[in-house]
Coordinates of all heavy atoms in Angstrom, one line a residue:
Y204 N 0.9 -1.2 0.0 CA 0.0 0.0 0.0 C 0.9 1.2 0.0 O 1.7 1.4 0.9 CB -0.9 0.0 1.2 CG -1.6 1.2 1.6 CD1 -3.0 1.3 1.2 CD2 -1.0 2.3 2.3 CE1 -3.7 2.5 1.6 CE2 -1.8 3.4 2.6 CZ -3.1 3.5 2.2 OH -3.8 4.6 2.6
V205 N 0.8 2.1 -1.0 CA 1.6 3.2 -1.2 C 0.7 4.5 -1.2 O -0.2 4.5 -2.1 CB 2.5 3.2 -2.4 CG1 3.4 4.4 -2.5 CG2 3.4 1.9 -2.4
E206 N 0.9 5.4 -0.3 CA 0.0 6.6 -0.3 C 1.0 7.8 -0.6 O 1.9 8.0 0.2 CB -0.7 6.8 1.0 CG -1.6 8.0 1.0 CD -2.3 8.1 2.4 OE1 -2.6 7.1 3.0 OE2 -2.6 9.3 2.8
M207 N 0.7 8.6 -1.6 CA 1.4 9.8 -1.9 C 0.4 10.8 -2.6 O -0.4 10.4 -3.4 CB 2.5 9.6 -3.0 CG 3.7 8.8 -2.5 SD 5.0 8.7 -3.7 CE 4.6 7.1 -4.5
N208 N 0.5 12.1 -2.2 CA -0.3 13.1 -2.9 C -1.8 12.8 -3.0 O -2.4 12.9 -4.1 CB 0.2 13.4 -4.2 CG 1.7 13.9 -4.2 OD1 2.1 14.4 -3.2 ND2 2.4 13.7 -5.3
Q209 N -2.4 12.4 -1.9 CA -3.9 12.0 -1.9 C -4.2 10.9 -2.8 O -5.3 10.8 -3.3 CB -4.7 13.3 -2.2 CG -4.6 14.4 -1.2 CD -5.6 15.5 -1.5 OE1 -5.9 15.8 -2.6 NE2 -6.0 16.1 -0.4
T210 N -3.2 10.1 -3.2 CA -3.4 9.0 -4.1 C -2.9 7.7 -3.4 O -1.8 7.7 -2.8 CB -2.7 9.2 -5.4 OG1 -3.2 10.4 -6.0 CG2 -3.0 8.0 -6.4
V211 N -3.6 6.6 -3.5 CA -3.2 5.3 -2.9 C -3.0 4.4 -4.1 O -3.9 4.2 -5.0 CB -4.2 4.8 -1.9 CG1 -3.9 3.3 -1.6 CG2 -4.3 5.6 -0.7
I212 N -1.9 3.8 -4.1 CA -1.6 2.7 -5.1 C -1.4 1.4 -4.3 O -0.6 1.4 -3.4 CB -0.4 3.0 -6.0 CG1 -0.5 4.3 -6.8 CG2 -0.1 1.9 -6.9 CD1 0.1 5.5 -6.2
T213 N -2.1 0.4 -4.7 CA -1.9 -0.9 -4.0 C -1.3 -1.8 -5.1 O -1.9 -2.0 -6.2 CB -3.3 -1.5 -3.5 OG1 -3.9 -0.5 -2.7 CG2 -3.1 -2.7 -2.7
I214 N -0.2 -2.4 -4.8 CA 0.5 -3.2 -5.7 C 0.5 -4.7 -5.1 O 0.8 -4.9 -4.0 CB 2.0 -2.8 -5.8 CG1 2.1 -1.4 -6.3 CG2 2.8 -3.7 -6.8 CD1 3.5 -0.7 -6.2
Y215 N 0.0 -5.6 -6.0 CA -0.1 -7.0 -5.6 C 1.0 -7.7 -6.4 O 0.8 -8.2 -7.5 CB -1.4 -7.5 -6.0 CG -2.6 -6.8 -5.3 CD1 -3.2 -5.7 -5.9 CD2 -3.1 -7.2 -4.1 CE1 -4.2 -5.0 -5.3 CE2 -4.1 -6.6 -3.5 CZ -4.7 -5.4 -4.1 OH -5.7 -4.8 -3.5
P216 N 2.2 -7.9 -5.8 CA 3.3 -8.5 -6.6 C 3.0 -9.9 -7.1 O 3.4 -10.3 -8.2 CB 4.5 -8.5 -5.6 CG 4.2 -7.4 -4.7 CD 2.7 -7.4 -4.6
H217 N 2.3 -10.7 -6.2 CA 2.0 -12.1 -6.6 C 1.1 -12.2 -7.8 O 1.3 -13.0 -8.7 CB 1.4 -12.8 -5.4 CG 1.1 -14.3 -5.7 ND1 2.2 -15.2 -5.8 CD2 0.0 -15.0 -5.8 CE1 1.6 -16.4 -6.0 NE2 0.3 -16.3 -6.0
L218 N 0.2 -11.2 -7.9 CA -0.7 -11.2 -9.0 C -0.2 -10.3 -10.2 O -0.8 -10.3 -11.3 CB -2.1 -10.6 -8.6 CG -2.8 -11.4 -7.5 CD1 -4.0 -10.7 -7.0 CD2 -3.1 -12.8 -7.9
K219 N 0.9 -9.6 -10.0 CA 1.5 -8.7 -11.0 C 0.5 -7.6 -11.4 O 0.5 -7.3 -12.6 CB 2.0 -9.5 -12.2 CG 3.1 -10.5 -11.8 CD 3.5 -11.3 -13.0 CE 4.8 -12.1 -12.8 NZ 4.9 -12.8 -11.6
I220 N -0.3 -7.1 -10.5 CA -1.2 -6.0 -10.9 C -1.2 -4.9 -9.8 O -0.6 -5.1 -8.7 CB -2.7 -6.5 -11.0 CG1 -3.2 -7.1 -9.7 CG2 -2.9 -7.5 -12.1 CD1 -4.7 -7.3 -9.6
S221 N -1.7 -3.8 -10.1 CA -1.8 -2.7 -9.2 C -3.1 -1.9 -9.4 O -3.7 -1.9 -10.5 CB -0.6 -1.8 -9.3 OG 0.0 -1.9 -10.5
K222 N -3.6 -1.3 -8.3 CA -4.8 -0.5 -8.4 C -4.6 0.9 -7.8 O -3.8 1.0 -6.9 CB -6.0 -1.2 -7.8 CG -6.4 -2.4 -8.5 CD -7.6 -3.0 -7.9 CE -8.1 -4.3 -8.7 NZ -9.3 -4.9 -8.1
M223 N -5.3 1.9 -8.3 CA -5.1 3.2 -7.8 C -6.4 3.8 -7.3 O -7.5 3.5 -7.8 CB -4.6 4.1 -8.9 CG -4.2 5.5 -8.5 SD -5.4 6.8 -8.9 CE -5.8 6.7 -10.6
Y224 N -6.3 4.6 -6.2 CA -7.5 5.2 -5.6 C -7.1 6.7 -5.3 O -6.0 6.9 -4.7 CB -7.9 4.5 -4.3 CG -9.0 5.2 -3.5 CD1 -10.3 5.1 -3.9 CD2 -8.6 6.0 -2.4 CE1 -11.3 5.8 -3.1 CE2 -9.6 6.7 -1.7 CZ -10.9 6.6 -2.1 OH -11.9 7.2 -1.3
N225 N -7.8 7.6 -5.8 CA -7.5 9.0 -5.6 C -8.5 9.7 -4.6 O -9.7 9.7 -4.8 CB -7.5 9.8 -6.9 CG -6.8 11.1 -6.8 OD1 -7.0 11.8 -5.9 ND2 -6.1 11.4 -7.9
F226 N -7.9 10.2 -3.5 CA -8.8 10.8 -2.5 C -9.4 12.1 -2.9 O -10.3 12.6 -2.4 CB -8.0 11.1 -1.2 CG -7.5 9.9 -0.4 CD1 -6.2 9.7 -0.2 CD2 -8.4 9.0 0.0 CE1 -5.8 8.6 0.5 CE2 -8.0 7.9 0.7 CZ -6.7 7.7 1.0
S227 N -8.9 12.7 -4.0 CA -9.4 14.0 -4.4 C -10.7 13.9 -5.2 O -11.4 14.8 -5.4 CB -8.4 14.8 -5.3 OG -8.1 14.0 -6.5
F228 N -11.0 12.6 -5.6 CA -12.3 12.4 -6.2 C -13.3 12.0 -5.1 O -13.0 11.6 -4.0 CB -12.2 11.2 -7.2 CG -11.3 11.4 -8.3 CD1 -10.3 10.5 -8.6 CD2 -11.3 12.6 -9.1 CE1 -9.5 10.7 -9.7 CE2 -10.5 12.8 -10.1 CZ -9.5 11.9 -10.4
T229 N -14.6 12.3 -5.4 CA -15.6 12.0 -4.4 C -16.0 10.5 -4.3 O -16.5 10.1 -3.4 CB -16.9 12.8 -4.7 OG1 -17.3 12.5 -6.0 CG2 -16.7 14.3 -4.6
E230 N -15.6 9.8 -5.4 CA -15.9 8.3 -5.3 C -14.7 7.6 -5.7 O -13.7 8.1 -6.3 CB -17.1 8.0 -6.2 CG -16.8 8.4 -7.7 CD -18.1 8.2 -8.5 OE1 -19.2 8.6 -8.1 OE2 -18.0 7.6 -9.6
E231 N -14.7 6.3 -5.4 CA -13.5 5.5 -5.7 C -13.2 5.4 -7.2 O -14.1 5.3 -8.0 CB -13.7 4.1 -5.1 CG -12.5 3.2 -5.1 CD -12.6 1.9 -4.4 OE1 -13.5 1.9 -3.5 OE2 -11.9 1.0 -4.7
N232 N -12.0 5.5 -7.5 CA -11.6 5.4 -8.9 C -10.5 4.4 -9.0 O -9.3 4.7 -9.0 CB -11.1 6.8 -9.4 CG -10.6 6.8 -10.8 OD1 -10.9 5.9 -11.6 ND2 -9.7 7.7 -11.2
C233 N -10.8 3.1 -9.1 CA -9.9 2.1 -9.2 C -9.6 1.8 -10.6 O -10.5 1.7 -11.5 CB -10.4 0.8 -8.5 SG -10.3 0.9 -6.7
Q234 N -8.3 1.7 -10.9 CA -7.9 1.4 -12.3 C -6.6 0.7 -12.3 O -5.8 0.9 -11.4 CB -7.9 2.6 -13.2 CG -6.9 3.6 -12.7 CD -6.9 4.9 -13.5 OE1 -7.6 4.9 -14.5 NE2 -6.2 5.9 -13.1
V235 N -6.3 -0.1 -13.3 CA -5.0 -0.7 -13.4 C -4.0 0.4 -13.8 O -4.3 1.2 -14.7 CB -5.1 -1.9 -14.5 CG1 -3.7 -2.5 -14.7 CG2 -6.0 -2.9 -14.0
L236 N -2.9 0.4 -13.2 CA -1.9 1.4 -13.4 C -1.3 1.5 -14.8 O -0.6 2.4 -15.2 CB -0.8 1.4 -12.4 CG -1.0 2.1 -11.2 CD1 0.1 2.0 -10.2 CD2 -1.2 3.6 -11.4
E237 N -1.7 0.5 -15.7 CA -1.2 0.6 -17.1 C -1.8 1.8 -17.8 O -1.2 2.4 -18.7 CB -1.5 -0.7 -17.8 CG -0.7 -1.8 -17.4 CD -1.1 -3.2 -18.0 OE1 -2.0 -3.1 -18.9 OE2 -0.6 -4.2 -17.6
Q238 N -2.9 2.3 -17.3 CA -3.6 3.5 -17.8 C -2.8 4.7 -17.2 O -2.2 4.6 -16.1 CB -5.0 3.5 -17.4 CG -5.8 2.3 -17.9 CD -7.2 2.3 -17.3 OE1 -7.6 3.1 -16.5 NE2 -7.9 1.2 -17.6
S239 N -2.9 5.8 -17.8 CA -2.2 7.0 -17.3 C -2.9 7.5 -16.1 O -4.1 7.4 -16.0 CB -2.0 8.1 -18.3 OG -3.3 8.5 -18.7
L240 N -2.2 8.1 -15.2 CA -2.8 8.8 -14.0 C -3.0 10.2 -14.3 O -2.2 11.1 -14.0 CB -1.9 8.6 -12.8 CG -1.5 7.2 -12.4 CD1 -0.5 7.2 -11.2 CD2 -2.7 6.4 -12.0
E241 N -4.1 10.5 -15.0 CA -4.3 11.9 -15.4 C -4.7 12.8 -14.2 O -5.2 12.3 -13.2 CB -5.5 11.9 -16.4 CG -5.2 11.2 -17.7 CD -6.4 11.2 -18.7 OE1 -7.3 12.1 -18.5 OE2 -6.4 10.3 -19.5
N242 N -4.3 14.0 -14.3 CA -4.6 15.0 -13.3 C -4.0 14.6 -11.9 O -4.5 14.8 -10.9 CB -6.1 15.3 -13.1 CG -6.7 15.8 -14.3 OD1 -6.1 16.5 -15.1 ND2 -8.0 15.3 -14.6

C-alpha cells in the first residue's frame, strides 16, 4: 500500500497487478496502473 499526494496505489506483486485510488475524487476510482494517472 503506497500513499502519496492524496493517491493510494496498491501493488499486488504475486498477481502482478496494481490499483489506484485518488482521495481528491468523491468516489473510488480504481484502475489498473497501465492506464495513465491523469490530473
Side-chain angles (χ1 to χ4, degrees):
Y204 168 99
V205 180
E206 182 180 330
M207 291 187 262
N208 300 338
Q209 296 186 329
T210 303
V211 172
I212 298 100
T213 306
I214 302 170
Y215 302 88
H217 184 67
L218 301 174
K219 297 180 173 37
I220 62 168
S221 18
K222 293 187 177 180
M223 187 259 308
Y224 171 81
N225 194 319
F226 291 124
S227 62
F228 299 130
T229 54
E230 58 189 47
E231 189 172 335
N232 177 22
C233 286
Q234 60 185 350
V235 175
L236 268 178
E237 289 173 7
Q238 303 168 2
S239 66
L240 302 178
E241 295 179 23
N242 301 324

